Amino acid sequence: MTETPTFRSDITVELVKHSASDADVLFAARVSTAGEQSLEEIGKDPARSRGLINFLMRDRHGSPFEHNSMTFLVRAPIFVFREFHRHRVGWSYNEESGRYRQLDPEFYLPGEDRKLVQQGRPGKYEFVPGTAEQHALVGKVMEESYRQGYAAYRELLAAGVAREVARAVLPVGLFSSMYATCNARSLMHFLGLRTNDERAAVPSFPQREIEMVGERMEEEWARLMPLTHAAFNANGRVAP
């Protein structure tokens, strides 16, 4: 492993496995009236049942949207995961451990398009870009802090201190990796809170870094379940 700190502003999300399609929603919904014959929906063209998916979304019949699964590999700063883990219903997580392995010195720096300055009072504020001087200062101070923190971590490890103790000096801007598994209903709830979209009936103001994760997850989900994704957008991006 490298011991030289590296810095990045991108966040990666990879769909590593899935069992998810619009047909999953249809057979689950129709069991209430068709019994075991609802299994026939699995092999049918879901586009013929676009109206049913929209009805379920509109009237918030949510359970049919749970009969699917998507597993993502997310690499992001630790502070993103601390927000992520507030989403507990319908999610499973496994994150790399600083107790069992030496952590790589990879750290987050905001990109040039990251708005830096908060204006207004809590509950009614906005973010604005900030000056070139502020962006330069953020980069300089963060890099210095990261280098110092990782040097302290290495010093403790070299002295024989356990990894689980030494990691306490590392900042939350350190990158970590986790697998996150969800179903479409739990993902919709996440997206409703962690993305800012003009189609949303209820506005949300997420931190930009977790929104970046949400945007990449949504791209993958939209490809797997296009009718469900369209119904989500058409009905105010509110989870059923």
Side-chain angles (χ1 to χ4, degrees):
M1 63 170 293
T2 178
E3 296 179 5
T4 302
T6 59
F7 309 99
R8 54 186 286 193
S9 60
D10 63 311
I11 289 170
T12 60
V13 177
E14 178 185 357
L15 179 68
V16 296
K17 69 173 185 175
H18 68 88
S19 175
S21 72
D22 291 316
D24 297 332
V25 180
L26 299 173
F27 88 83
R30 287 185 169 138
V31 72
S32 60
T33 56
E36 64 183 26
Q37 293 180 4
S38 66
L39 288 172
E40 297 174 4
E41 297 299 327
I42 295 177
K44 291 183 178 180
D45 179 8
R48 295 193 307 158
S49 299
R50 186 189 309 267
L52 175 57
I53 291 176
N54 191 69
F55 162 75
L56 295 170
M57 191 76 69
R58 184 194 69 208
D59 286 16
R60 305 192 72 183
H61 297 289
S63 58
F65 297 100
E66 297 176 4
H67 295 269
N68 54 82
S69 178
M70 293 164 280
T71 298
F72 300 94
L73 175 61
V74 182
R75 186 152 182 80
I78 288 174
F79 67 81
V80 170
F81 293 164
R82 297 303 162 263
E83 286 200 321
F84 217 120
H85 292 161
R86 296 182 64 82
H87 298 268
R88 298 179 293 277
V89 178
W91 286 90
S92 297
Y93 305 107
N94 280 94
E95 184 181 350
E96 69 176 289
S97 174
R99 297 185 67 193
Y100 303 121
R101 66 181 300 268
Q102 182 175 325
L103 299 171
D104 294 330
E106 188 174 35
F107 299 97
Y108 176 75
L109 290 179
E112 293 181 359
D113 60 343
R114 203 326 182 166
K115 296 178 180 178
L116 294 182
V117 179
Q118 178 179 319
Q119 295 182 163
R121 56 183 175 80
K124 194 176 183 180
Y125 57 79
E126 62 176 353
F127 283 88
V128 296
T131 65
E133 291 76 16
Q134 286 172 319
H135 278 272
L137 179 63
V138 166
K140 175 179 177 293
V141 171
M142 282 189 172
E143 282 198 24
E144 290 175 351
S145 176
Y146 291 152
R147 292 184 190 279
Q148 181 179 6
Y150 198 76
Y153 175 64
R154 292 286 298 139
E155 180 180 358
L156 292 172
L157 293 179
V161 175
R163 288 183 293 265
E164 65 183 49
V165 177
R167 64 178 174 172
V169 301
L170 293 172
V172 293
L174 181 76
F175 269 77
S176 184
S177 298
M178 75 169 179
Y179 289 108
T181 299
C182 64
N183 59 57
R185 189 183 193 185
S186 54
L187 180 58
M188 284 186 277
H189 181 261
F190 175 83
L191 295 175
L193 292 172
R194 301 299 184 177
T195 60
N196 186 349
D197 193 291
E198 62 183 11
R199 294 166 293 187
V202 181
S204 184
F205 306 95
Q207 182 163 339
R208 177 56 189 154
E209 287 76 13
I210 196 169
E211 184 178 34
M212 291 163 67
V213 175
E215 289 170 349
R216 287 155 179 75
M217 287 184 165
E218 185 168 359
E219 290 174 3
E220 296 288 355
W221 171 56
R223 179 176 58 82
L224 297 174
M225 304 179 70
L227 299 183
T228 302
H229 180 251
F232 175 60
N233 285 325
N235 289 277
R237 294 176 66 87
V238 176

